[in-house]
Amino acid sequence: YPLRRQRQMCIRDSVLGDIIEAVYSWEYLNLDKDTKKSEKIIDEAIKVFDDLILEVNKKDVSNKKKHFRSIGTKLEENGRLLIEKINKL
């Protein structure tokens, strides 16, 4: 649990951080509802962040511009999917 919280602190200023904050807001506004699905969304956002950080830190990239553009695309795609899941809560 502490490691998860530490990662959340690192993500807080990113798009994924905004998504996590949206989930926390939903949980706060819906105290009477089960949080299993919302916690799963947070876990997914953290995994996306971890995966993207691995991509960012790759050293053996032949075309850096293309590589970073693909990372941005992955962030957008995953962000949209996570937002759709929040909207379905």
Side-chain angles (χ1 to χ4, degrees), residues 9-10 52 76 87:
M9 296 300 288
C10 292
L52 291 175
E76 287 179 32
N87 290 335

Side-chain angles (χ1 to χ4, degrees), residues 54-64 67:
L54 289 175
E55 289 293 316
V56 166
N57 289 317
K58 277 189 177 178
K59 301 290 183 203
D60 59 342
V61 176
S62 60
N63 185 337
K64 289 188 179 205
H67 177 70

Side-chain angles (χ1 to χ4, degrees), residues 6-62:
Q6 183 179 10
R7 271 200 219 109
Q8 287 173 343
M9 296 300 288
C10 292
I11 321 176
R12 73 174 178 228
D13 294 327
S14 71
V15 170
L16 295 169
D18 292 342
I19 289 169
I20 290 171
E21 288 300 318
V23 173
Y24 285 149
S25 294
W26 179 88
E27 289 178 343
Y28 180 75
L29 295 170
N30 295 280
L31 295 173
D32 59 328
K33 298 199 177 171
D34 185 16
T35 59
K36 287 179 186 161
K37 289 181 182 178
S38 59
E39 288 295 319
K40 186 175 177 185
I41 294 170
I42 292 171
D43 291 340
E44 288 179 47
I46 292 169
K47 175 147 181 23
V48 168
F49 177 81
D50 289 345
D51 292 346
L52 291 175
I53 288 298
L54 289 175
E55 289 293 316
V56 166
N57 289 317
K58 277 189 177 178
K59 301 290 183 203
D60 59 342
V61 176
S62 60

